[in-house]
Amino acid sequence: MNAAFPYPLQTTHLPDGRNLALLSSFAFDDEGHEGFIVVPVAFVTDLASIPRVFWLLLPPFGEYLFGAVVHDWLYTTRTLGAGWHGWRGADMVLWRAMQQAPSPPALWVRCAIMAGLFLGGWFTYFAVKERVLHKLGVRRGRERFDDNHAPGAE
């Protein structure tokens, strides 16, 4: 823990062998930029979504995992906006989080992760939007919430 990450990162592996769930809330103080970002307990993350072919150089559980949790939260919730600004904003939060991590990754690692996000992050960011909208019953075109598919509806 440090000033930027005031809470310890506590996770548990899920049965799928890839994802983790937070056992307690986690936060990043992006002071001067996006403010205090809180990731709630039970949030599911895959940490760094790095293709397996690159795991030898950049494993998903690297020094960047603190920033990866916050980044996954921002990509999933679209807290910073739904469009281009939100996508790039979430990536910049990751950059700052990696810089302020208790054990910051090397500059080449941060740059490699940012290059990967520039090349493929947009796909994940906008694909998540479509999955969430589908689960909530939002119909494309009309952008109307369908009460028959609301969470908890019978």
Side-chain angles (χ1 to χ4, degrees), residues 53-70:
V53 68
F54 298 114
W55 281 9
L56 185 60
L57 293 174
L58 299 169
F61 301 95
E63 299 162 319
Y64 32 82
L65 65 94
F66 281 60
V69 171
V70 175

Side-chain angles (χ1 to χ4, degrees), residues 35-130:
F36 200 72
I37 301 167
V38 178
V39 183
V41 65
F43 176 68
V44 175
T45 177
D46 68 351
L47 298 178
S49 306
I50 297 171
R52 189 175 291 267
V53 68
F54 298 114
W55 281 9
L56 185 60
L57 293 174
L58 299 169
F61 301 95
E63 299 162 319
Y64 32 82
L65 65 94
F66 281 60
V69 171
V70 175
H71 187 256
D72 280 0
W73 171 251
L74 294 175
Y75 261 44
T76 300
T77 62
R78 307 168 75 70
T79 304
L80 303 181
W84 185 86
H85 176 72
W87 162 53
R88 298 308 303 152
D91 291 351
M92 292 312 300
V93 168
L94 173 62
W95 176 261
R96 291 187 295 272
M98 288 190 294
Q99 288 178 309
Q100 297 178 48
S103 176
L107 179 61
W108 77 266
V109 171
R110 296 193 311 258
C111 290
I113 289 172
M114 296 307 289
L117 287 170
F118 183 77
L119 293 172
W122 63 272
F123 180 78
T124 302
Y125 191 79
F126 295 105
V128 165
K129 174 186 175 188
E130 296 306 318

Side-chain angles (χ1 to χ4, degrees), residues 120-141:
W122 63 272
F123 180 78
T124 302
Y125 191 79
F126 295 105
V128 165
K129 174 186 175 188
E130 296 306 318
R131 286 194 305 267
V132 170
L133 289 175
H134 178 72
K135 285 184 179 183
L136 291 176
V138 175
R139 297 180 187 196
R140 302 303 299 159

